[in-house]
Amino acid sequence: MAKGRALALWAWLTLPLGLILLVGSLLYVRTAYTGVTVRGGSMEPTYGVGRQLVVQRLDGDEIHRGDVVLFATPDRYSGEAVLKRVIGVGGDHVVCCGAGTEERITVNGRPLQEPYVKDGIADGVHRPYDVKVPEGRLFVLGDHRVNSVDSRFFAGDGHQGTVAVGDVKGRVVGGPARLLGWLVCGLLGLVLAATGLGLGIAAVTVRRRRVTPPAPPWPVHM
């Protein structure tokens, strides 16, 4: 019986712990992240067509300059969600551009360093702009500037082409490998839960086992 109690104790420890890890990991990943597949070339070379990305769900207020965000604006892109890079946040002064090889975007009077843009082209479409980003909005551009329909092309919408922070669905945090830690945690939970279940079954089996008393010796007749 002592063995049965020990098995039951370990079952009560490992099964709930495993379920907590498994369910907790799955729920967290489901609520905190979403996946997206790149369907256009506006974010090349950073993210090419067909690339699978992990997007962290968060409020637009948590977005910073340089973040690549997923957003959906009802009156743009047929309401579909798109990826763009945040160049300016509320209160920023974004200006473009110098001409020729000196072409450069400035944010609050400082030239913006953009090693991520394709072929080093900061604009490429010859649409100069001078934008004071309203509070609660974002000025966004694609990394492939000559192949991106972004804030530059919606200057006449009353918001200087900016996007409302409320339209932001999340921020790109990398590829599927970004979730590897949580997947490992969930797998560990599954293993612990299965182990706990097996120990519980073993405990029940041990407790139900009955030792069959030995048969009495055959009577000997003299």
Side-chain angles (χ1 to χ4, degrees):
M1 295 300 291
K3 182 179 180 181
R5 285 194 296 268
L7 289 172
L9 176 61
W10 280 108
W12 278 108
L13 289 174
T14 56
L15 181 58
L17 177 60
L19 290 176
I20 290 172
L21 286 175
L22 176 61
V23 176
S25 299
L26 293 178
L27 286 178
Y28 178 77
V29 169
R30 183 178 178 84
T31 56
Y33 297 94
T34 187
V36 64
T37 300
V38 180
R39 293 182 294 176
S42 70
M43 286 304 298
E44 293 178 338
T46 308
Y47 303 122
V49 177
R51 175 82 178 272
Q52 293 184 334
L53 301 173
V54 172
V55 175
Q56 181 183 18
R57 293 189 174 100
L58 41 72
D59 295 331
D61 293 336
E62 301 176 66
I63 297 298
H64 304 94
R65 297 186 206 98
D67 288 342
V68 175
V69 296
L70 178 73
F71 67 92
T73 301
D75 57 349
R76 302 181 192 177
Y77 316 110
S78 300
E80 295 184 1
V82 297
L83 294 169
K84 302 295 178 189
R85 187 179 298 274
V86 176
I87 302 300
V89 298
D92 284 343
H93 185 200
V94 183
V95 179
C96 183
C97 279
T101 57
E102 297 301 322
E103 183 180 74
R104 187 70 60 82
I105 296 172
T106 63
V107 178
N108 301 326
R110 297 183 178 181
L112 188 62
Q113 302 297 323
E114 298 190 282
Y116 43 77
V117 296
K118 186 173 178 61
D119 301 324
I121 299 174
D123 180 53
V125 296
H126 311 296
R127 300 174 71 96
Y129 49 86
D130 188 328
V131 176
K132 179 72 172 181
V133 183
E135 292 296 334
R137 301 191 71 87
L138 307 168
F139 188 85
V140 297
L141 299 174
D143 287 355
H144 191 181
R145 298 291 159 79
V146 299
N147 186 35
S148 176
V149 179
D150 43 43
S151 288
R152 298 171 294 177
F153 294 86
F154 299 97
D157 66 354
H159 300 288
Q160 302 183 81
T162 58
V163 175
V165 295
D167 292 339
V168 174
K169 305 300 182 183
R171 173 177 57 204
V172 175
V173 292
R178 178 67 170 75
L179 300 180
L180 182 60
W182 289 106
L183 295 177
V184 170
C185 188
L187 180 60
L188 176 60
L190 179 61
V191 171
L192 286 175
T195 301
L197 181 60
L199 289 172
I201 294 173
V204 172
T205 301
V206 169
R207 287 185 173 185
R208 289 182 175 179
R209 183 181 301 160
R210 295 290 184 267
V211 178
T212 303
W218 292 102
V220 177
H221 299 284
M222 298 299 292

